[in-house]
Amino acid sequence: MEGHADAQTISGIHTTCQFNTKIFYPDGTTPALWSSDALDNADFDADKLSFHADGCAISLNGDGTSYSVKSVTNEASIVNLTVSQAAPGFHVGKDGKSYFGTDLKNPWGSMRHGFWPRCHVEGSIITKAGEIDFKGRGLFIHALQGMKPHHAGIYPCPIACLFYSD
Amino acid sequence: MPVSILVQSPVSFILTDLVKAAKWTFVDFQSPSFSAVMMEYTTPPSYGSTVVNVGGIAQDGVILCAGSGNAATHTKVKDDAENDWPAPEEVKFIWNDRSKDGKPVTAVLEGSLGKRLDKVDVMAKVPGFIKTIVGGVAGTKPYIYQV
């Protein structure tokens, strides 16, 4: 199962936010379940570590080791999961960023990735066919893309990606 | 042993020229004793067609290694009749990173991908209003192969 929330600012005026959920069924016959819904009133908490919108919240716990992901934005997939570190997180390089362009002092843009490579996952997703228990292992990635303003006016797209196996 | 390998390739995200990736490959390997993750992408020609690869390996409570010295290869591909992309059938991932105290750590994960779980036509999933703003992505028909 894979879920993520995207936020996108276009021309500094219009912000959209989308919560996506995808469930793969390893039986080889059930088609993947895909939910993608626009979010209203999306915003970050004061500490910028947690995110909320109408019917959706992704929250980091007090000591920064666990995210809870909850969403009722699509009744085909009601999400209530907790992803906790089983190993430390990491990023590559001093800040996890990759810079693009020909001049490091004036990059065209950057992308940042942070990884929690090994997580415990608990909770479930309720689908029309029943509740699926997602207890198991998982990977959590936080990806953030930053663009320079002169590149056609499309601005950062923060993305939190959660990949669960089993 | 529960394993799911998520491989995406090749794919251009929504705004091809503005998102600095023309091709991605991801692997998420989870087992009772190890977790191994890798993300490799190639920037579009306008960004120099540069290969960027980051990844790491962890066990309970510890990161064994992390870094950017890795390689993701599709050792066997098959042309996709629907879109002309070379769909991956066999893969080989090589981690070549450092541990916390600077020692080199290497690992290899290779094999056949087996039956594909999903193939995503990316542009079909893009909300309509974004497609309108972008005005079409010239010459790209991005797909995600998920196994």
Side-chain angles (χ1 to χ4, degrees):
Chain A
M1 175 261 156
E2 169 195 314
H4 53 284
D6 309 312
Q8 189 167 27
T9 307
I10 301 172
S11 306
I13 295 168
H14 185 55
T15 306
T16 67
C17 201
Q18 201 89 358
F19 185 86
N20 308 309
T21 301
K22 186 166 188 180
I23 303 179
F24 301 91
Y25 298 86
D27 62 8
T29 50
T30 314
L33 185 153
W34 166 254
S35 298
S36 181
D37 300 278
L39 299 176
D40 293 321
N41 299 311
D43 204 352
F44 294 94
D45 287 13
D47 56 16
K48 303 283 195 222
L49 296 173
S50 297
F51 165 86
H52 56 269
D54 287 354
C56 173
I58 299 178
S59 312
L60 185 64
N61 74 343
D63 58 12
T65 58
S66 175
Y67 273 99
S68 90
V69 182
K70 293 186 210 268
S71 167
V72 295
T73 54
N74 194 316
E75 57 181 40
S77 51
I78 298 174
V79 180
N80 186 0
L81 297 167
T82 306
V83 185
S84 310
Q85 288 185 346
F90 73 89
H91 61 234
V92 176
K94 66 179 191 304
D95 56 9
K97 280 189 185 171
S98 304
Y99 295 92
F100 300 91
T102 48
D103 178 4
L104 201 51
K105 290 193 192 65
N106 292 295
W108 298 331
S110 66
M111 283 207 272
R112 185 194 178 262
H113 294 92
F115 300 88
W116 286 4
R118 190 172 176 82
C119 302
H120 298 303
V121 182
E122 292 204 338
S124 69
I125 299 182
I126 301 175
T127 69
K128 298 266 160 70
E131 185 169 0
I132 304 176
D133 180 1
F134 271 91
K135 190 177 171 88
R137 277 181 287 279
L139 159 69
F140 184 96
I141 302 175
H142 183 266
L144 191 71
Q145 175 177 296
M147 285 295 312
K148 277 270 186 172
H150 62 270
H151 272 250
I154 305 286
Y155 285 86
C157 312
I159 304 167
C161 299
L162 300 93
F163 299 84
Y164 305 108
S165 48
D166 227 50
Chain B
M1 179 178 72
V3 161
S4 95
I5 300 184
L6 173 65
V7 175
Q8 302 174 334
S9 169
V11 61
S12 293
F13 282 156
I14 298 167
L15 309 165
T16 319
D17 192 45
L18 303 163
V19 178
K20 280 80 63 195
K23 292 194 291 190
W24 291 82
T25 297
F26 258 107
V27 62
D28 168 22
F29 177 84
Q30 300 287 335
S31 81
S33 22
F34 291 99
S35 296
V37 304
M38 189 188 296
M39 174 184 76
E40 178 174 294
Y41 59 93
T42 306
T43 60
S46 56
Y47 282 87
S49 296
T50 310
V51 178
V52 178
N53 186 314
V54 296
I57 304 178
Q59 290 189 285
D60 279 341
V62 65
I63 304 240
L64 292 181
C65 68
S68 59
N70 321 302
T73 319
H74 302 171
T75 47
K76 188 168 172 212
V77 297
K78 187 175 175 183
D79 279 340
D80 188 332
E82 271 179 28
N83 57 32
D84 295 331
W85 289 115
E89 296 197 317
E90 288 179 13
V91 289
K92 184 172 182 176
F93 298 97
I94 301 175
W95 283 261
N96 201 351
D97 299 317
R98 303 243 155 215
S99 68
K100 200 166 57 174
D101 37 13
K103 295 197 178 59
V105 176
T106 60
V108 178
L109 176 68
E110 62 183 321
S112 166
L113 293 175
K115 188 164 181 266
R116 190 171 59 226
L117 281 181
D118 198 13
K119 184 173 84 176
V120 181
D121 175 357
V122 179
M123 289 310 285
K125 295 274 190 262
V126 171
F129 79 91
I130 292 185
K131 272 199 234 192
T132 309
I133 291 169
V134 171
V137 179
T140 308
K141 213 178 158 191
Y143 276 80
I144 302 175
Y145 295 94
Q146 294 179 307
V147 298

